[in-house]
Structure formats: structure tokens, C-alpha cells
Amino acid sequence: MTAPRRVIILDRDGTVIVDHGYLDDPEKLQFLPGAAQGLQRLHVQGHRLIIVSNQSGVGRGRLSLERLQQINRRLIDMVRAIGVELAGIYCCPHRPEENCGCRKPQTGLVLQAAAALGFEPEGCIVIGDKHSDMELGRRLGAITMLVSSGAASASAPAGANYLIRDLLEASQVIDSLGIAGRDARCATAP
């Protein structure tokens, strides 16, 4: 019997790709240093990768939902080009003042992903560059990793279990901890 795989919940901007503020052009997508290699290692380690991202630019009228979908399709293509598959991309298009249940640090998008993909959120790892990502992980009971180049790293590690430089270092830490796909709490459907 194969060991269950861990689900890695990734923030998008500032974690996987360069943060351009309100990204509105798919052609501006570019991996952060270490991101492509980190995604490849996480994939080889047997993890399922999902992106959970706040995209209030839609709610603020800076880009349309259709444009966000074009950006997500381009990101999927970029990730496939390096030999990796994303299990899904989940985005909250709402403004912060709307107080929706899907905007991080609320858990709505992760619970939606868990229902669709068949995993237990508390067995996952949340990797992001902001306090809201770390708070999301705390609310889920997940392991958290804060990308040190992000806005949250200027202060305390925001309750992160690990402070990392980039996704490549995240993959190395995960590998060194021996948690690659061996946590029964995060069993996923085949």
C-alpha cells in the first residue's frame, strides 16, 4: 500500500510568482527565484499542489474575472512546462471589506478544495509570504512556512513554523523532516 501524499497549499503572488501588485496581464507572470525548482522537488516528493490566492483586484475593478482566469490558465501552462501539475487554483475575488468566508485567512477556499480533492486540511502544509497565509495555516491546524522575502518577514515570523527563503528551501525542509507523503491525517483520494 502506498503512503498518502501531503497536500501543499501555496500562495500565488510573492510565493510562486513575482508580486506585481494587482497583476492584470498573463504575460507578466514569472516564477520567483527557486520557485520552479521547488515546485519540481515537491512534485517529485509526491505532494499534491494547490494555489489559494486572494485576488481583490477583481472586486476592486482592476481586472475582470475572465482576465483572472486567463492569468490562472497561463500559470497552469507555466507549471506544466516544468513537468508539474497543479491539483487546482482557488481564488477569492472579493475586497477585504466584504468579509467573505473565502478570503484568507478565512478557510473557505481550502475547505472547498478539500471537498473537491478529498483531503484533510489539518494535515497540509501552507506556504506563503504574508501574515494572512500563516493565520490560514494556524486556523487549519497545518504546518506553516513563511517565505522570508515577503511583506510579513519584516517583523516576527507571523506564527510560522518555518521561515524559508523560497520554495526550493521549502522543499528541502519538507524532505529533511521526513514528512513527504507520510502523514495519515492528509490522506488524499487516489
Side-chain angles (χ1 to χ4, degrees):
M1 181 169 165
T2 339
R5 297 177 292 172
R6 181 84 61 160
V7 172
I8 310 289
I9 300 167
L10 301 160
D11 175 53
R12 190 188 82 177
D13 306 302
T15 302
V16 176
I17 62 166
V18 173
D19 189 347
H20 291 286
Y22 296 104
L23 177 67
D24 63 354
D25 182 355
E27 295 306 312
K28 289 184 181 176
L29 282 169
Q30 73 183 93
F31 287 121
L32 282 165
Q37 300 91 331
L39 291 171
Q40 289 169 326
R41 273 188 66 134
L42 291 168
H43 176 73
V44 167
Q45 290 169 350
H47 302 295
R48 292 177 76 186
L49 308 172
I50 65 170
I51 291 179
V52 174
S53 182
N54 289 340
Q55 294 299 317
S56 68
V58 174
R60 297 173 197 270
R62 294 181 173 242
L63 74 154
S64 66
L65 195 52
E66 180 183 338
R67 190 63 159 178
L68 176 60
Q69 291 166 345
Q70 291 169 355
I71 290 167
N72 288 342
R73 283 192 297 273
R74 175 123 193 315
L75 180 56
I76 289 168
D77 291 343
M78 287 172 56
V79 171
R80 280 187 181 144
I82 62 168
V84 177
E85 287 291 324
L86 292 173
I89 298 178
Y90 297 83
C91 296
C92 170
H94 305 109
R95 294 171 313 195
E97 56 272 17
E98 293 180 66
N99 295 317
C100 68
C102 63
R103 183 173 174 79
K104 293 184 293 184
Q106 300 298 326
T107 59
L109 287 178
V110 175
L111 297 177
Q112 179 185 347
L117 302 173
F119 66 87
E120 296 295 328
E122 68 270 9
C124 298
I125 298 172
V126 175
I127 305 174
D129 67 328
K130 294 186 175 63
H131 291 285
S132 60
D133 300 312
M134 300 305 98
E135 178 61 17
L136 170 68
R138 187 192 68 73
R139 290 179 184 189
L140 295 171
I143 293 172
T144 56
M145 295 187 172
L146 179 68
V147 177
S148 62
S149 61
S153 63
S155 61
N161 297 112
Y162 298 92
L163 185 61
I164 53 165
R165 192 174 42 255
D166 54 31
L167 287 181
L168 180 57
E169 185 176 16
S171 69
Q172 294 163 344
V173 169
I174 291 167
D175 194 38
S176 74
L177 294 172
I179 57 176
R182 288 192 269 286
D183 188 337
R185 294 181 309 156
C186 195
T188 59

